[in-house]
Amino acid sequence: MVTDEQKRARKDEIVSVFISQYSRKPMAQITMTTIAQELGCNRANLVPYYPTIMAIIADAWARKVSEFCDGLIADLNAEESLDVDKYVDIVYRNYFVKSDVLRYFAVQATLVENPEVKEIVLTHMGRHAHHTALHQELLSQKLGISMIKAEIILETIHFMALGLHNSETVSVRLMPNVSDKAEEYVRRRYLRMTKNMVEMVIQESERFNNIS
């Protein structure tokens, strides 16, 4: 009989293979069969752990988002004092350097719409919302701004990062030989735009005179 510990270990193996494959190729090319082949077993051997590929994707998504949230909060807590440059650097590192979480945020809407995994995804989105609230509170305290301004900054940063990820995905598809230098330039441009946006929200007094 398989123990709970053995089951968790096997699920970790399955998810790790999915994450590895997803880092190398589009999600549409990953199936229960491709994962089973890499594990050296049959597709049927995966079913007791994950009945479908969507269940694997949802678990991988939950793990990646949790890792990202934990890492971002830890980096913010590690700073005794915070200015805009430090904050933008932390955001940049966590979104683009330390993880590939944007690949998973990009499929979040698809997971929520899938009835098979919707409940699991919504549960983990609740945990993500808790981390976002912590992020907002830390940003408000350390930069000395209102909670609403912090919320504006958080939401804008997230969607700017996701937008850049989506544009990079399209660029790589259309121009597979795009250089690493070109990609780095685009990402550094994002960093500058992010800094400008954060400074604008902090300094704005007329448009945001009700949230200062």
Side-chain angles (χ1 to χ4, degrees):
M1 182 177 178
V2 178
T3 65
D4 289 343
E5 184 176 350
Q6 290 173 325
K7 186 173 183 179
R8 283 194 298 270
R10 189 55 171 171
K11 291 181 76 170
D12 288 345
E13 290 178 349
I14 294 169
V15 171
S16 294
V17 170
F18 169 82
I19 290 172
S20 175
Q21 291 188 4
Y22 189 32
S23 70
R24 305 191 305 268
K25 56 188 177 182
M27 187 175 291
Q29 296 179 14
I30 306 173
T31 65
M32 297 279 279
T33 300
T34 64
I35 294 172
Q37 287 174 342
E38 188 164 334
L39 287 169
C41 63
N42 296 321
R43 181 186 185 283
N45 297 127
L46 304 185
V47 174
Y49 305 96
Y50 295 102
T52 66
I53 187 64
M54 287 304 299
I56 298 175
I57 294 171
D59 198 352
W61 167 86
R63 296 180 189 212
K64 281 289 186 177
V65 171
S66 292
E67 288 174 5
F68 165 78
C69 291
D70 290 342
L72 183 56
I73 295 300
D75 284 352
L76 288 171
N77 275 320
E79 297 291 340
E80 292 185 9
S81 62
L82 194 69
D83 57 24
V84 173
D85 286 326
K86 280 184 180 180
Y87 176 65
V88 172
D89 182 62
I90 288 172
V91 167
Y92 179 76
R93 283 189 285 110
N94 279 274
Y95 270 112
F96 295 106
V97 179
K98 292 173 62 177
S99 74
D100 56 351
V101 71
L102 288 168
R103 294 169 63 84
Y104 293 85
F105 277 130
V107 301
Q108 182 169 299
T110 300
L111 292 172
V112 171
E113 293 171 359
N114 188 293
E116 178 190 341
V117 297
K118 180 178 180 178
E119 186 174 342
I120 297 172
V121 172
L122 289 176
T123 298
H124 283 280
M125 284 179 68
R127 185 170 186 270
H128 180 209
H130 173 68
H131 277 83
T132 299
L134 288 176
H135 183 174
Q136 182 180 346
E137 185 176 351
L138 285 169
L139 185 60
S140 175
Q141 292 174 354
K142 290 178 180 285
L143 290 184
I145 61 177
S146 70
M147 288 289 283
I148 298 178
K149 282 188 176 182
E151 181 181 6
I152 292 170
I153 290 171
L154 262 62
E155 290 187 2
T156 306
I157 280 175
H158 180 76
F159 287 110
M160 285 173 64
L162 192 55
L164 177 58
H165 167 76
N166 290 338
S167 66
E168 282 188 334
T169 300
V170 172
S171 297
V172 170
R173 191 182 303 128
L174 297 178
M175 299 178 293
N177 295 322
V178 63
S179 69
D180 291 339
K181 288 185 178 180
E183 289 187 11
E184 180 63 18
Y185 167 79
V186 172
R187 293 190 179 195
R188 288 295 172 183
R189 187 178 178 188
Y190 163 82
L191 193 152
R192 291 195 299 273
M193 290 172 61
T194 301
K195 179 181 177 181
N196 292 339
M197 181 275 297
V198 172
E199 290 177 338
M200 182 206 73
V201 173
I202 291 174
Q203 296 170 8
E204 185 62 67
S205 60
E206 292 184 14
R207 295 181 188 175
F208 299 128
N209 57 4
N210 292 324
I211 62 175
S212 59

